[in-house]
Structures are given as C-alpha cells and as structure tokens.
Amino acid sequence: MLYSQYRWNTPNIDLEAAAGLSQALSVSALVGRLLVSRGVHNETEAERFLHPDLGQMYDPYLLRGMNEAVPRIRLALERGEHILIYGDYDADGVSSTSLMIHLMRHLGASYDIYIPHRSNEGYGLHNHALDWAHQQGVTLIITVDTGISAVDQIAYAATLGMEVIVTDHHEPPETLPEAFALINPKLPDCPYPFKGLAGAGVALKLAQALIGEVPGEWMEIAAIGTVADLMPLEGENRVIVSYGVESMRGSRLPGISALLEISGVDQSQVTSVNIAFAMAPRINASGRLDHAGRAVSLLTTENLDEAHMLAGQLDLLNRERQQVVEGIVQEANAQLEQKIQLRSGKVPDVIVLAGEGWNVGVVGIVASKILERYYRPTLILGIDPETGVCKGSARSIDGLDIYEALTACKHTMDHYGGHPAAAGMTLHRDQLEELESGLNEFAASVLTEADFMPERLADDECRISDVPLKVIQEIDRLQPFGMSNPSPRFVLRNVMVKETRTMGREKRHLKLVLEQDGQQLETVAFGKGALAEYLPAGTFIDVMGELSINEWNGMRKPQLMLQDIHVPQAQVFDLRGNADPLNAMKQFLGSLEVHLRYTSGSIGAIVRKDIDVSEGNSLYEPCLWVYDRKVGLFPYNAAAQHYGQEQVRTLFVFDTPETPEQLDAMLAMFSGAENIILLHGSGNRRDRLQMPSRDLFKRIYMLVSKWRAEPVEEQEITPVLSRQCGCSPRMITMMLDVFEELSFITRKDGKISFVDNPPKRDLASSRHYQALENMAETEQVLLDASTPQLTQWMISRMKGVS
C-alpha cells in the first residue's frame, strides 16, 4: 500500500447550477461542475469568467493616493525633475520596475532606477541608496512593489528634500510611512474593490491613471509579475493575465520573445503556466545570484541581439541557481535530521534552519523544498560569518499565517515583511534560537495535528471515459490558470497499470499507461521515476493529476500529468538477491518516504542476529525481530519491545521462514503490515529442497534396501544417497523422516535399519511427506518464482491469515 502524498478533497458542488451552466453554454457536465467550483453560478458570471474584458477593470482613481500621486508626477514632468524608480529584486519587482521604465520613456521623463542587491543589501528602501539618489539630483521617488513598511527611510528621504510616492501591495504595518502618497489596495481605508493586485498590477494602475489605455506590451509585463508573485487569477488579475498572455503570443518586446525561446516555449502557444514555470524562474535567477538589473534590462531592451544575449545569461544563472539550491537542500536536510533525532524523532512545528555561506538569494526556494518534504512552516536563513547577520525567507502551510507568526516574534528581528504564505526577515544569529522558540510556541497555539497533513483540492472525480479530447479542449477555455483558478485536477480511482517505464536521461520521470473499462490513458509524472519499480503491471491504483493533450507526430491524445498516487491494497515488493540488501532497504525508504507515512514503530525488519539495519533510516529506528526455532519471532531491539508488532506497516524480510507454518505465523504476527519487502537471497542451492515425487521416493527406497543386512550410519549414507540421487542432504534427511513415519525404516543411535515386509501405506498419508511437499513449494516460490507469481502468492497467503 502506498499512501497519497496529499489528502485529496473535492468540493461540494451545486449540481443543479452545474447542469444549468452545462446546458446554457453547451459544454460537458464536467466543465459545468468546474465553473461552479470556481464560484461561477449563472450564465452572466460565466461570460465574464470565460471572456475577460478590459471593461471589467476598475477606475484607477479608486485607489487611495492616486488623486495625489498623478498631479505630483505631472508636475515633476513639467518641471523636468529627476525621478527615481525604486524597485525590488524578485520577478514582481522586476516587472513593476520594467513597466515603470516603459511609462517614463512614454512620458519623456528624466529618470533613474534603483533595485537593491538581494545578498548585499536586502529588501526595501535603504538610506545609502537615498543618499545616492540625492546626489543624482532626484527630487521625486516612486517605489514599486516595496515601500509600505519603510517608515524611517521615507522620513529620511524627506530630510534630503525628496518626496516619495509609494506603490505597493504588501500587507501594511500598523504604522504607515509619511509619504507624499500611498497607493496600496490593502490599505484599511482604500475603497478599491479588488485587493489582489500584484506590485506590477499597482504599477499598471498608476500607468492607466496617467495615460489611460496602456499598450498591450505593458500588460505582458504586468502579467509576468502577477503570475510570478502568485496573485489570485480572479477579478482584475484575470483580465491583466488574459490580455497579457494574448499579447505575448505576438509580442513586440524583444526580451519577451528571447526569454520564451531560451525557455523552450512555443511563443504562439504561451500560457500562464509557461510564465510561472519557464519565464519567472529565469527572471528570478537574476536577482538571486546576480543583480535584478539584468532582468530589467531584458524586459526593457529594444534590441533583439541584446535580448538574446541577456536571455542566455538568465538561463545560465537559472541552471546555476538549481545547483546551488540542491547543495543547500542537502545541508539543510542533514541539519534538520539532527534536530529531529534530538527531539526523539519528532519534526518541529516550525522548521528554522540557518547556515554560513548559504546564498540568501535562493533560501526561499530551499524553504519551499523543505516544506514540501515535511509539510511544516519553514524558515531558511543564510548567515554572514563576519557580521553574524542572518537573512532568510519563510514559506508556510495553510494553517499558519507566517506574517502573523513573525509579528508575534518581531522583537527578535531587525526587519521582516511578507504575506500569510511567505515572508522575509533579517536578524542577528544570536537571536535565532529565540526566534525559533517563539515561532514554535506560536504555532503550538494555533496548529492542530490535522494541519500537518497536506491537502490538495481536486476539482472532481471522473473515469477515463469522461475525459475524451473534446472535454479537455473545453477545459482549456477556463484559462488563464494560476492561483485561485488552478489548472483543474481530477481523481481517477481503481485504474489498472497496464504499462510502466521511466523517461529521461537519468530515468527521473515516470510514464504509465492506465486502463479502465477497456479505455487507456497515458500518464506522465515528472520527478517520480523512482516509483516505476514499485508499480508493476496489473497494480490497481488511484491517481490525481491534470489533464492535457499530448501532440506528437501529428497525433493528439489525452494525457494525465500525474501529481499524486495511491495504492489502496497491500503490496509485496520483490527485491530478492540484492547484493547489498541494507542499501536496498535504505533506497526503498528514501524513494517512497512520502508514500509510506513513517511514524515511530512503523518500520519493521526480520533479520539474522548478525545483521545490523539501524542505519536503514536515521529518522525512524526499525523494529527488529529475529526468528528462533523454539519460540518463533521475538523482538531483538528496544524499538521492537517498545512499539510491538501492531505498529509495523512496512516490513523488511531479510531471511525467509523455513516452513510454511513459520511463514503463516510471520504473516499473522504482522497482519497490519501494508507493505512486505523481500530482501532474501537465493539460498544455498546445494541445500535446497525439491518437489517430492513417487519415483524419487522409489529410487531412494531401492538404494536404502541395499543395506538391509545390517544397520548403517545415517551420517555416512546421507551424502552417498545425495550424490546418487542428485538431492541435497537436507532433502535426503526429510525423505528418511517419511520412511521412518511409514515404518519402512527404523532409526536408533544414529543408525538406520531397513524393515523387511513393511505395511503398505500411501506416501500422501505421511505427515512428514505433506510437510516436505509444502516446504518444497514454499521454498520454490520464495526463491525461484517470477515476481508476479511471488507477489500474488504472498498476497493470497496474507489474506488467508488475516
């Protein structure tokens, strides 16, 4: 049994409303249900959702501060003042800054830009940057995607004679800066109807207020910031991204075309998903490993050659970023395992990890990866070894507002800011322990055990027959997909694995062919290649994923992009004959970690006394049992004695039982085991049993009868009979047991005597014969049967003793 990584939930849908939409829009019942699950309940709402229009955008002057900001900017243009655009280094900040550059060019303004260096300066306004701006003759600063918390810095700018217009979308603090104008839809007294704008969206609203309808290329840039910053794709954001993506398909911006090309995206088919997973990571790589100015240059250049050069540089930075992330993830995991061991195997409610030399530009990505594995709110911080200053990023789970949690511990930090799901912070390393303690104390007061089980919402359950090409094409009408309008996920239950194979140079990806009711569906799972050997053909599984259309050589087929998997029945895994069974055990536990849901006492192993499996998994000590012929299986370590066999869900068998009775006793003892992994070798073939036959017994009987004159030493004739009949000495001994039971021979003092004229008795009536037959069959299956035969045989025995 493999558990799903996530808890699957499907919404309660108003089926009557869904049927009405399906009929009114002439779409499938499935698409009708998808619309209802997204808050669309009537035909009018459906038209707005399916056909985003510029007419759905709000008047920018509804934003508080816009009435003050626009006249001030126009005055600056009239006076020829030097304006500074002060941005941020993430993809939203880059987009916001780039959009403002296009605006300044359009207005003919005298301007400069400043984006702080992520590693050297950190987030937000800085006084030294304001000093520089003052030296450049700046009199007006316009912030984008930053500034709402810069109380002291904006006050300092005022002392230098510079006025500041803040455009931001982050959560406002209790004390607001005294800027010339504050434009942020999240301000408590801001009447703007839509609160979900990205920083680039707010910058776009400023541009609309200044010039009216903006060029389509600016919508492309705003779309990048909106998608990259994980803003909800509903309301006004849906309009921005829809128009941006449509414009992007024929973009006149050299940087957009070059970035899509280097990312391997067909520009004519670009979607919001491509923005999220192809464009945004490369833009972000600039600010993470270098300076965000390189990405700004890409989005604002008018030269195609320069655009290709810059796009290539960002692509290389992104590859370097991936390597840096992997290195930090390994160090962070090792550090976390030590913490878990000190906590007796318990993962902290909030994970706080810090390391010297960790690149602060990628700590947010590392935090996401640690969170994905352990599903705990996670802070990753890089420590400057000289100053002791820590800069980090946090990522959180649904149950914990990380901004609120940090606010409860704000006395430990020099600076922090962010959203409920993500945040950044700066503090001294001496405060790390107190911050970690405070966050865990806060989490303990708000989180329950259920919060630590990751949940993934599936839009609907369906069968393969429900999703032909026509329906998948209809689903595509719900684009653009992103936050609050995710690409629809579906659950398909009780589908059979028809074919399993890996893909990619390093076999990192998985491809399955699934079958149900005679219909097949190809399924691809990126990064799940390790599951291939654990999903043999014939396995019935439940899957969750996103539907798409695979186009190859002119053929179009439905395809499921698999995100999660569940095997609902007990499984037997055949890893027999492995040269290094301990390493095989460790690999098994590592490959299937998220699908086995380890808990203390859930891993068991049946071993010989000379095998040490304590290093099988450093987080969960396996419970060890040893087989003894007299007393059966008995616990061999403290973990087994403490937890007992009832807790075991994953059982590793290093040595096979010697008899069917021992096997059934083992299966009965571990009746709660959901996975049995066979790691035994092929045994000593010279000591193997073979299926008994009447001819073989007749032959042995004739050979033994040659010594009828006088008793013979059993120890002497056993090897002789073994050589003459091609049977193992063990087999000979067990056949002699049968002869003795049937009174064909007698045994005394290690000697065998032949009985003349024994009673006529059927071999099959012998208890020893039946035991030999069962033992030979068991041994043959366990050691020689094919994997399908072995697993089916084991599962049938498991059912028989349950």
Side-chain angles (χ1 to χ4, degrees), residues 603-648:
I603 301 169
I606 298 175
V607 298
R608 293 190 302 267
K609 289 188 179 182
D610 58 344
I611 292 182
D612 179 12
V613 302
S614 59
E615 293 301 316
N617 184 297
S618 60
L619 300 185
Y620 299 96
E621 181 187 4
C623 301
L624 309 186
W625 275 267
V626 173
Y627 190 82
D628 183 273
R629 292 185 180 180
K630 295 181 180 179
V631 300
L633 285 165
F634 68 92
Y636 190 60
N637 67 350
Q641 292 173 351
H642 177 73
Y643 295 108
Q645 70 270 17
E646 292 84 3
Q647 300 280 353
V648 173

Side-chain angles (χ1 to χ4, degrees), residues 17 25-26 61 94 301 415 434 652:
L25 301 173
S26 299
Y61 283 97
V94 165
T301 184
H415 177 79
E434 186 176 355
F652 294 89

Side-chain angles (χ1 to χ4, degrees), residues 50-172:
L50 296 173
H51 305 289
D53 185 86
L54 290 175
Q56 299 173 19
M57 297 194 76
Y58 299 107
D59 182 351
Y61 283 97
L62 291 175
L63 281 161
R64 169 191 156 178
M66 195 67 78
N67 283 311
E68 292 76 29
V70 170
R72 179 65 185 88
I73 294 171
R74 285 179 175 155
L75 180 63
L77 296 172
E78 292 173 9
R79 292 176 175 175
E81 293 181 56
H82 196 49
I83 301 172
L84 177 69
I85 307 301
Y86 196 111
D88 186 30
Y89 38 67
D90 68 2
D92 188 20
V94 165
S95 302
S96 306
T97 304
S98 301
L99 198 155
M100 292 302 293
I101 289 174
H102 285 286
L103 175 63
M104 293 294 109
R105 288 176 182 173
H106 179 85
L107 295 172
S110 171
Y111 72 95
D112 236 320
I113 69 166
Y114 192 95
I115 297 179
H117 191 284
R118 183 190 289 261
S119 301
N120 299 337
E121 297 173 278
Y123 176 80
L125 272 68
H126 300 281
N127 285 353
H128 64 265
L130 298 176
D131 289 334
W132 171 84
H134 180 58
Q135 294 169 3
Q136 302 305 308
V138 169
T139 53
L140 178 63
I141 299 173
I142 304 173
T143 74
V144 286
D145 195 33
T146 189
I148 198 64
S149 300
V151 175
D152 295 337
Q153 293 81 3
I154 289 176
Y156 180 69
T159 67
L160 299 177
M162 296 184 293
E163 294 179 317
V164 181
I165 295 172
V166 172
T167 74
D168 201 352
H169 74 124
H170 293 95
E171 296 293 334

Side-chain angles (χ1 to χ4, degrees), residues 240-252:
I240 292 171
V241 176
S242 294
Y243 272 79
V245 167
E246 186 59 36
S247 178
M248 206 176 278
R249 289 172 179 167
S251 181
R252 292 182 293 179

Side-chain angles (χ1 to χ4, degrees), residues 18-324:
L21 281 177
S22 173
Q23 184 175 5
L25 301 173
S26 299
V27 295
S28 66
L30 188 65
V31 171
R33 294 196 296 273
L34 290 175
L35 286 167
V36 171
S37 71
R38 282 154 172 73
V40 178
H41 293 92
N42 56 57
E43 191 172 354
T44 302
E45 291 175 351
E47 286 297 325
R48 287 177 62 86
F49 185 88
L50 296 173
H51 305 289
D53 185 86
L54 290 175
Q56 299 173 19
M57 297 194 76
Y58 299 107
D59 182 351
Y61 283 97
L62 291 175
L63 281 161
R64 169 191 156 178
M66 195 67 78
N67 283 311
E68 292 76 29
V70 170
R72 179 65 185 88
I73 294 171
R74 285 179 175 155
L75 180 63
L77 296 172
E78 292 173 9
R79 292 176 175 175
E81 293 181 56
H82 196 49
I83 301 172
L84 177 69
I85 307 301
Y86 196 111
D88 186 30
Y89 38 67
D90 68 2
D92 188 20
V94 165
S95 302
S96 306
T97 304
S98 301
L99 198 155
M100 292 302 293
I101 289 174
H102 285 286
L103 175 63
M104 293 294 109
R105 288 176 182 173
H106 179 85
L107 295 172
S110 171
Y111 72 95
D112 236 320
I113 69 166
Y114 192 95
I115 297 179
H117 191 284
R118 183 190 289 261
S119 301
N120 299 337
E121 297 173 278
Y123 176 80
L125 272 68
H126 300 281
N127 285 353
H128 64 265
L130 298 176
D131 289 334
W132 171 84
H134 180 58
Q135 294 169 3
Q136 302 305 308
V138 169
T139 53
L140 178 63
I141 299 173
I142 304 173
T143 74
V144 286
D145 195 33
T146 189
I148 198 64
S149 300
V151 175
D152 295 337
Q153 293 81 3
I154 289 176
Y156 180 69
T159 67
L160 299 177
M162 296 184 293
E163 294 179 317
V164 181
I165 295 172
V166 172
T167 74
D168 201 352
H169 74 124
H170 293 95
E171 296 293 334
E174 293 179 8
T175 303
L176 296 171
E178 294 184 8
F180 184 87
L182 296 176
I183 303 174
N184 184 335
K186 292 180 181 175
L187 288 169
D189 58 349
C190 180
Y192 200 71
F194 184 66
K195 305 297 183 181
L197 290 171
V202 179
L204 180 72
K205 301 309 295 186
L206 178 60
Q208 289 176 333
L210 281 163
I211 69 170
E213 186 176 341
V214 300
E217 294 81 45
W218 299 9
M219 299 288 274
E220 298 174 34
I221 297 173
I224 292 173
T226 301
V227 172
D229 217 40
L230 304 180
M231 292 296 103
L233 294 194
E234 57 190 19
E236 203 163 27
N237 283 346
R238 187 165 173 79
V239 179
I240 292 171
V241 176
S242 294
Y243 272 79
V245 167
E246 186 59 36
S247 178
M248 206 176 278
R249 289 172 179 167
S251 181
R252 292 182 293 179
L253 291 175
I256 296 290
S257 298
L259 188 57
L260 288 170
E261 183 179 335
I262 200 72
S263 303
V265 176
D266 181 351
Q267 184 169 346
S268 65
Q269 302 295 320
V270 66
T271 67
S272 56
V273 176
N274 299 134
I275 294 176
F277 295 102
M279 301 177 76
R282 289 169 171 82
I283 292 172
N284 273 320
S286 176
R288 294 185 191 282
L289 297 187
D290 186 41
H291 191 280
R294 198 187 298 255
V296 171
S297 297
L298 175 66
L299 295 181
T300 56
T301 184
E302 297 176 351
N303 183 286
L304 187 57
D305 291 336
E306 182 185 16
H308 281 295
M309 177 193 70
L310 290 168
Q313 291 172 353
L314 294 193
D315 187 59
L316 289 174
L317 283 171
N318 190 51
R319 295 184 189 186
E320 182 184 347
R321 185 269 304 167
Q322 292 169 335
Q323 295 175 348
V324 171

Side-chain angles (χ1 to χ4, degrees), residues 3 21 60 74 171 242 302 312 344 415 461 463-464 468 554 620 634 700 717 740 752 761 764 798:
Y3 289 100
L21 281 177
R74 285 179 175 155
E171 296 293 334
S242 294
E302 297 176 351
S344 301
H415 177 79
E461 290 195 17
R463 302 184 69 79
I464 293 178
Y620 299 96
F634 68 92
I700 295 291
I717 70 163
E740 182 182 22
I752 293 176
R761 297 178 63 183
M798 290 167 68

Side-chain angles (χ1 to χ4, degrees), residues 732-801:
I732 296 296
T733 298
M734 295 186 72
M735 293 175 73
L736 293 175
D737 290 342
V738 176
F739 288 151
E740 182 182 22
E741 180 187 352
L742 298 178
S743 301
F744 294 169
I745 63 171
T746 60
R747 281 167 160 157
K748 185 176 181 181
D749 299 328
K751 293 184 178 182
I752 293 176
S753 299
F754 186 80
V755 176
D756 289 318
N757 301 314
K760 288 187 177 182
R761 297 178 63 183
D762 187 4
L763 279 173
S765 67
S766 165
R767 179 174 53 84
H768 283 92
Y769 180 87
Q770 295 168 5
L772 173 59
E773 192 172 47
N774 288 334
M775 288 175 66
E777 179 194 6
T778 299
E779 188 173 275
Q780 188 177 67
V781 174
L782 287 174
L783 300 180
D784 296 328
S786 66
T787 295
Q789 290 173 326
L790 172 64
T791 54
Q792 189 58 45
W793 184 81
M794 280 288 292
I795 288 172
S796 66
R797 292 195 85 98
M798 290 167 68
K799 291 178 180 177
V801 300

